[in-house]
Amino acid sequence: MKQLKLIGFIFLLCFLTESLTLPTQPQDVDNFNSTQKFIEENVEYITIIAFAQYVQEATFEEMEKLVKDMVEYKDRCMADKTLPECSKLPNNVLQEKICAMEGLPQKHNFSHCCSKVGDERRLCFFYNKKADVGFLPPFPTLDPEEKCQSYESNRESLLNHFLYEVARRNPFVFAPTLLIVAAHFEEVAKSCCEEQNKVNCFQTRAIPVIQYLKAFSSYQKHVCGALLKFGTKVVHFIYIAVLSQKFPKIEFKELISLIEDISSNYDGCCEGDVVQCIRDTSKVMNHICSKQDSISSKIKECCEKKIPERGQCIINSNKDDRPKDLSLREAKFTDSENVCQERDADPDTFFAKFTFEYSRRHPDLSIPGLLRIVQIYKDLLRNCCNTENPPGCYRYAEDKFNETTEKSLKMIQQECKHFQNLGKDGLTYQYLIRLTKIAPQLSSEELVSLGEKMVTAFTTCCTLSEEFACVDNLADLVLGELCGVNENRTINPAVDHCCKTNFAFRRPCFESLKADKTYVPPPFSQDLFTFHADMCQSQNEALQRKTDRFLVNVVKLKHELTDEELQSLFTNFTNAVEKCCKAESPEVCFNEESPKIGN
């Protein structure tokens, strides 16, 4: 991989046409020249990301063969644009070439996708992606000194490997995000390799890069899951709420125009069409910056930046100030005599306007909280508009809204109180037990990861002034990850019901779940309760993950135990680890203590 010139890379990619055909209009010539330069220099990036996400099991060497094939394809088309193969969509070309690789479809079990054509093949490749990447080996790590030697001697190979490994482990992350992560990785490598204490530098500077990837991965999977399970209408309402809070002075008509651009962006990005995704992302940012005077006063500096920093900056910018003339409440939705008639005339537009007006007036509420208010209002009007006196019925809507918000607020205050009383470790164990009981069919790694992320929501938010919105937003992302992106993901009847029935009330639905009664525990295995001296050699983070996995596996095996009984068993385990790691012979100690833990 050449030096990651991602600013120019994404700028060029945004002008990539639907096919590799030469433009016919004079005004397209400059765009074509940019596209041509992109194709010559950056086709490898598209191939690495798309292939690693579509065929996660594929080896690096198999990926290199496809990169070579795609580069040769590009060269042929640049030499002779009239070739039939050069009129195809880039994503279709990529999938055809993946299918044409000898023995690859059979080896990695996607030959059923290659037997399809058109949209069916495209969606088959998408549904073949696996969110749980436990089947992959651990992320390869190099000693910082080795990493720097590799970077200095063969930067291309190191960065190619990095992008390949990150993409295959994050199959639903959008291409722009992965490219920014790769650019940050190179910045870290370049800077840290000049430092004397390379270990400390890599450890410190890698943290924000990892956090950036995790945050965007979680959000993108969340919205894509909503799109695939509930359709574009739910995504529309999510973004009406998000953008109305962020840009409270935007006009409704302008907002809807922007929402349409965003929705088309998610179609390509969620399905993994790298080219379409980046082009559409640029279109959204161009839209915002071209109308910044009427959208927000906080993004002027962002819009002066180059792509992709511009997009990053806009996403991370503060919410705009609330317009001074904006009333505390919009009376027309509760006080007007004609609410039912306005709703019936155009329901989608009516509720979109309500979401817009309510969200821009309540920047303190979470996005799930706002969507719950919208659902409450819909249900209220459904009842009220069938009564003899509709205005007398819906006049009390604000009371319903406040009641719903207060209920959610109390739940979060109680959870934050649990966190303060139990501490991070205690809350982690509580959530691992709860998640495993309601969704024991998930892998241990997945449950541990979900538990960690749920606890992170509380450790991040419970000390903030805006703890309500913060906790609710982050916890909702975790549940989105549990439910998964693919619409055909199934866990158990109760969890599936919460995941697929009502997006706005998904979290309250999960709060009411009990242990899954359909679950059949695996046969008892003493191996689960057998430990060795290597437990004592694990570093803090590794030991914590082993401890968490043990707890999850115990809950899976002894599903009928109460939380108190599980806590007692877990205490036996932690006491045994502490005792044996201090013993003269840890192995002998573990041999004596292990049989007692499960009893």
Side-chain angles (χ1 to χ4, degrees), residues 172-187:
F172 298 107
V173 174
F174 299 170
T177 303
L178 291 174
L179 294 168
I180 289 170
V181 167
H184 288 331
F185 171 74
E186 181 168 22
E187 288 171 8

Side-chain angles (χ1 to χ4, degrees), residues 203-348:
Q203 287 176 344
T204 303
R205 293 201 56 188
I207 291 172
V209 180
I210 294 168
Q211 288 175 338
Y212 174 87
L213 175 61
K214 285 182 176 179
F216 274 80
S217 170
S218 184
Y219 184 74
Q220 288 161 3
K221 284 191 284 188
H222 180 70
V223 179
C224 289
L227 174 66
L228 291 160
K229 289 183 175 69
F230 299 95
T232 55
K233 192 175 288 188
V234 165
V235 175
H236 279 182
F237 277 92
I238 290 172
Y239 273 98
I240 290 171
V242 169
L243 296 177
S244 299
Q245 281 192 330
K246 195 172 186 68
F247 306 135
K249 73 176 185 180
I250 193 173
E251 294 292 332
F252 179 72
K253 186 177 178 181
E254 187 62 56
L255 174 69
I256 294 305
S257 174
L258 182 55
I259 295 292
E260 287 170 359
D261 282 350
I262 290 173
S263 293
S264 65
N265 175 42
Y266 269 89
D267 285 340
C269 291
C270 289
E271 290 177 7
D273 188 331
V274 176
V275 173
Q276 188 73 27
C277 178
I278 301 178
R279 188 179 66 246
D280 287 346
T281 300
S282 176
K283 183 180 177 183
V284 171
M285 297 308 166
N286 283 338
H287 186 147
I288 292 172
C289 288
S290 68
K291 304 285 182 67
Q292 59 179 295
D293 290 340
S294 61
I295 291 179
S296 174
S297 61
K298 305 279 187 182
I299 59 173
K300 187 175 186 298
E301 289 185 6
C302 295
C303 291
E304 291 171 357
K305 295 179 181 291
K306 295 180 180 179
I307 299 171
E309 279 93 343
R310 181 174 61 174
Q312 258 190 301
C313 183
I314 290 171
I315 290 167
N316 294 327
S317 65
N318 292 327
K319 293 175 181 175
D320 205 355
D321 300 324
R322 176 176 163 162
K324 292 179 181 177
D325 60 348
L326 190 65
S327 59
L328 292 175
R329 60 186 287 266
E330 180 52 90
K332 69 180 181 182
F333 292 104
T334 55
D335 297 354
S336 169
E337 298 287 320
N338 303 316
V339 168
C340 295
Q341 292 91 323
E342 289 178 30
R343 181 204 65 167
D344 294 342
D346 187 350
D348 288 346

Side-chain angles (χ1 to χ4, degrees), residues 545-595:
R545 287 195 78 82
K546 284 183 178 180
T547 301
D548 292 346
R549 278 198 299 271
F550 170 74
L551 178 57
V552 166
N553 288 329
V554 166
V555 178
K556 285 187 173 198
L557 184 66
K558 295 178 175 283
H559 204 60
E560 76 288 349
L561 294 185
T562 64
D563 290 1
E564 292 75 19
E565 289 170 326
L566 286 167
Q567 186 63 52
S568 174
L569 191 153
F570 187 64
T571 301
N572 291 343
F573 162 72
T574 53
N575 289 343
V577 172
E578 187 177 353
K579 175 183 176 181
C580 292
C581 288
K582 290 178 180 177
E584 247 182 71
S585 176
E587 190 68 30
V588 172
C589 177
F590 275 121
N591 288 339
E592 293 173 355
E593 295 294 325
S594 290

Side-chain angles (χ1 to χ4, degrees), residues 6 9 24 45 64 73 83 92 100 134 172 201 229 264 310 315 320 337 370 381 390 409 486 500 506 510 529 547 595:
L6 293 183
F9 163 60
T24 56
Y45 300 151
E64 284 186 309
Y73 163 76
L83 293 172
N92 290 350
F172 298 107
C201 181
K229 289 183 175 69
S264 65
R310 181 174 61 174
I315 290 167
D320 205 355
E337 298 287 320
L370 290 168
L381 291 189
L409 178 61
N486 292 345
K500 298 174 182 178
R506 190 157 59 181
F510 270 101
F529 300 98
T547 301

Side-chain angles (χ1 to χ4, degrees), residues 428-443:
T428 298
Y429 303 147
Q430 188 179 82
Y431 265 99
L432 288 176
I433 290 171
R434 172 156 177 69
L435 287 167
T436 307
K437 282 197 166 188
I438 66 173
Q441 294 83 0
L442 296 180
S443 71

Side-chain angles (χ1 to χ4, degrees), residues 376-394:
I376 290 290
Y377 187 53
K378 284 182 179 181
D379 294 343
L380 181 70
L381 291 189
R382 190 179 296 116
N383 293 328
C384 290
C385 292
N386 288 321
T387 64
E388 290 184 5
N389 181 20
C393 177
Y394 58 66

